[in-house]
Amino acid sequence: MLASPTRFVAQRITLRSSNTIPTSFIPPFPRGLPQRSVTKASARIVAAMSTTSVNAVTDAGRGSITHVIFDMDGLLLDTEKFYTEVQEKILARYNKTFDWSLKAKMMGRKAIEAATLFVEECGISDSLSPEAFIVERESMLQDLFPTSDLMPGASRLLRHLHGKGIPICVATGTHTRHFDLKTQRHRELFSLMHHIVRGDDPEVKQGKPAPDGFLAAARRFEDGPVDPRKALVFEDAPSGVMAAKNAGMNVIMVPDPRLDKSYCTVADQVLASLLDFKPEEWGLPPFEDSQN
Ligand SMILES: O=P(O)(O)OC[C@@H](O)CO
Ligand SMILES: [Mg+2]
């Protein structure tokens, strides 16, 4: 069971008149907890998150969306729970518990970056390398991924936008070999996507919070590259939200309810579920059903 989320003293993010979000946003470690000895590798990753300059979306965002880009894990597919379950099992061997402050940093990232954060911030890097952690984690995930379910509202939203002729695609940190396992029960739904950018795509030099995946996704639409101000991203992870903002795009966050609220202050809109999305608020065709 994940330790209960600790209260963060989050930096207040205020949108200045220029609508530019301050370049560094990383919630400091919670008061009262020992400052973890973050070694150079995970410091580099954490620093990348805070030094990546964040270009806020301009005012043109709402009301003029023409293309939609979806994150996958935790947003379209209920797969983040598998990562948590497996990581808790591995940590139990070292009598340690996995908590949401670390989960929040790992979500959405490329495997090796998430693995480096995991072993170093849990203080087990002397006995488990990031590479060995990935191999062990993968062997446990192989059986779980093919059982992935859709998140609430995912099918309804994708079919609605596709049916109305709105170009949609996926930009995920997931590697191709995992993508195929996770989506094998949902091939028809994912066939509605114009294209899929995966974590091992040659154009994705850096994982989220770098904008690479979302910029590659914007380029590959029929009429690409799409003006980022007309693109709407759906994400569940803080790193993914930052990546979308760094790409100059609009972003709706649908976070796990256990994620501390201090991680949810950068997105343009925060929803409890995709079922709560109102397309007309963004200039997209409204749903016909009375789901909400
Ligand atoms: O970018 P997404 O689809 O959330 O994938 C992240 C995944 O690598 C695990 O967090
Ligand atoms: Mg995700």
Side-chain angles (χ1 to χ4, degrees), residues 70-75 79-80 83 103 106-111 114 137 170-175 178 182 208 214 235-237 239-240:
F70 290 93
D71 167 55
M72 188 175 78
D73 287 283
L75 190 280
T79 45
E80 284 295 340
Y83 289 97
K103 171 89 181 162
M106 291 177 68
M107 295 166 80
R109 292 185 177 282
K110 282 195 173 197
R137 185 177 77 166
V170 169
T172 173
T174 287
H175 194 285
H178 283 170
K182 291 172 180 176
K208 301 170 183 176
F214 290 125
E235 258 288 353
D236 68 305
S239 62

Side-chain angles (χ1 to χ4, degrees), residues 11-194:
Q11 274 172 298
R12 292 313 318 148
I13 289 281
T14 47
L15 285 181
R16 300 194 195 102
S17 55
S18 64
N19 216 5
T20 304
I21 294 180
T23 52
S24 68
F25 168 70
I26 178 97
F29 286 115
R31 286 191 199 292
L33 284 189
Q35 185 84 7
R36 287 189 182 84
S37 59
V38 174
T39 60
K40 59 182 185 314
S42 46
R44 195 176 53 250
I45 293 170
V46 171
M49 191 164 174
S50 54
T51 52
T52 309
S53 68
V54 178
N55 312 307
V57 70
T58 64
D59 304 342
R62 293 203 183 201
S64 60
I65 299 304
T66 58
H67 296 69
V68 183
I69 303 173
F70 290 93
D71 167 55
M72 188 175 78
D73 287 283
L75 190 280
L76 293 178
L77 293 179
D78 189 10
T79 45
E80 284 295 340
K81 64 183 180 186
F82 297 147
Y83 289 97
T84 302
E85 184 186 320
V86 160
Q87 280 151 191
E88 283 177 334
K89 277 192 189 135
I90 292 173
L91 269 189
R93 194 164 72 226
Y94 302 93
N95 296 320
K96 298 197 180 239
T97 51
F98 183 49
D99 69 32
W100 268 90
S101 61
L102 178 53
K103 171 89 181 162
K105 287 187 204 140
M106 291 177 68
M107 295 166 80
R109 292 185 177 282
K110 282 195 173 197
I112 190 62
E113 291 175 8
T116 302
L117 273 171
F118 182 83
V119 296
E120 296 200 353
E121 297 217 1
C122 293
I124 57 174
S125 52
D126 293 345
S127 36
L128 185 65
S129 71
E131 294 74 13
F133 165 73
I134 289 176
V135 168
E136 181 174 359
R137 185 177 77 166
E138 290 214 359
S139 65
M140 298 159 87
L141 289 170
Q142 293 292 333
D143 300 335
L144 293 169
F145 282 158
T147 69
S148 304
D149 289 322
L150 292 170
M151 292 297 282
S155 176
R156 170 178 176 256
L157 178 54
L158 294 180
R159 295 185 192 287
H160 170 68
L161 293 175
H162 184 265
K164 294 292 183 187
I166 305 294
I168 56 177
C169 76
V170 169
T172 173
T174 287
H175 194 285
T176 299
R177 65 179 179 280
H178 283 170
F179 178 86
D180 296 339
L181 282 176
K182 291 172 180 176
T183 58
Q184 67 185 35
R185 290 175 57 222
H186 312 290
R187 292 255 189 275
E188 181 270 331
L189 186 65
F190 277 79
S191 71
L192 303 180
M193 300 293 179
H194 180 269

